[in-house]
Amino acid sequence: MKPIIRSILISFTVLLFTLSPAPCRAVSPTYVHNFDEMYRSTPRILEITNSNQTGTVEEDDITYTYTCSGKKAIFNLDFFNAEGKQKIAINLENEGNYVTTSIINNLQQVEINCTSQKAKSNVKVYISTDGLIWNEPDNIEYGSLITATFPAGDYRVIILNDAGANRVSIYQIDYYCLDLSACPNCFIYRPE
């Protein structure tokens, strides 16, 4: 009698774990936008239009749009490498020039690889859920990369040159998103 009960308990336990959502978990995919590599790739991943002020990336069935604003904010060869070794970058030539992204779903972190004539802390990062109200993330670090971390959500990102007449070239932006497709019963808590 004991072996039968034991077999039933083991079978029930295996069935319970098989049907349980516990093995499901959210993952964090990373989307790397290296502007020079995407522009020079075949086929081209980054299309630059609108007098070099708009960049469109089509990747993984997602369209990302970068809109440069200001008189001297464009996609072009960077300011800092020697001629012939320059890379395609988003160039924000002076204070007040910025680039805005389209909405990025389930975004929780952004890393920006840029070069500035002044301290990178003069490059400001803002996020918005509606495109009207912009906030600087609470957790932002300035080092070899600018890293901003915030609660997962659907955000637009602005990167602003706040460094006077000093130039900024943005070479790459990495987006860390929360992917819930492997966990259909999971959700993102978004406080109001």
Side-chain angles (χ1 to χ4, degrees):
M1 186 76 173
K2 276 188 170 183
I4 293 174
I5 293 175
R6 184 174 179 204
S7 295
I8 291 172
L9 286 174
I10 290 173
S11 299
F12 179 73
T13 303
V14 168
L15 180 64
L16 181 65
F17 280 115
T18 303
L19 297 176
S20 170
C24 295
R25 62 186 162 99
V27 294
S28 296
T30 304
Y31 301 100
V32 176
H33 289 189
N34 180 301
F35 301 114
D36 190 64
E37 289 177 5
M38 292 189 310
Y39 184 76
R40 298 182 195 280
S41 68
T42 305
R44 186 172 284 167
I45 298 170
L46 171 64
E47 293 295 332
I48 300 172
T49 58
N50 191 26
S51 300
N52 292 1
Q53 288 195 305
T54 303
T56 305
V57 175
E58 303 255 352
E59 194 172 51
D60 299 326
D61 296 327
I62 301 172
T63 301
Y64 301 87
T65 304
Y66 295 90
T67 305
C68 297
S69 298
K71 291 182 180 179
K72 298 194 176 189
I74 60 172
F75 281 87
N76 208 340
L77 296 175
D78 72 84
F79 294 126
F80 298 99
N81 287 307
E83 192 172 325
K85 295 184 178 183
Q86 291 174 300
K87 298 178 179 182
I88 296 293
I90 297 171
N91 292 313
L92 308 175
E93 189 161 340
N94 49 24
E95 183 176 13
N97 289 290
Y98 60 93
V99 62
T100 308
T101 70
S102 53
I103 290 178
I104 301 165
N105 294 326
N106 300 325
L107 183 64
Q108 61 186 1
Q109 180 177 319
V110 63
E111 284 183 355
I112 302 159
N113 181 349
C114 69
T115 303
S116 173
Q117 286 176 305
K118 210 168 183 180
K120 285 189 182 178
S121 60
N122 288 317
V123 175
K124 300 296 183 192
V125 179
Y126 299 95
I127 56 174
S128 175
T129 56
D130 59 9
L132 300 172
I133 299 171
W134 295 89
N135 296 301
E136 193 169 11
D138 291 333
N139 189 4
I140 190 161
E141 296 176 20
Y142 297 94
S144 58
L145 300 171
I146 298 171
T147 304
T149 307
F150 33 83
D154 300 341
Y155 296 104
R156 294 178 191 274
V157 178
I158 279 185
I159 304 165
L160 169 71
N161 179 350
D162 195 35
N166 294 286
R167 297 172 165 182
V168 174
S169 288
I170 302 168
Y171 299 99
Q172 179 172 309
I173 303 174
D174 296 356
Y175 301 101
Y176 295 85
C177 301
L178 187 63
D179 180 6
L180 300 176
S181 63
C183 186
N185 296 326
C186 296
F187 68 95
I188 296 175
Y189 171 71
R190 294 183 176 124
E192 294 182 29

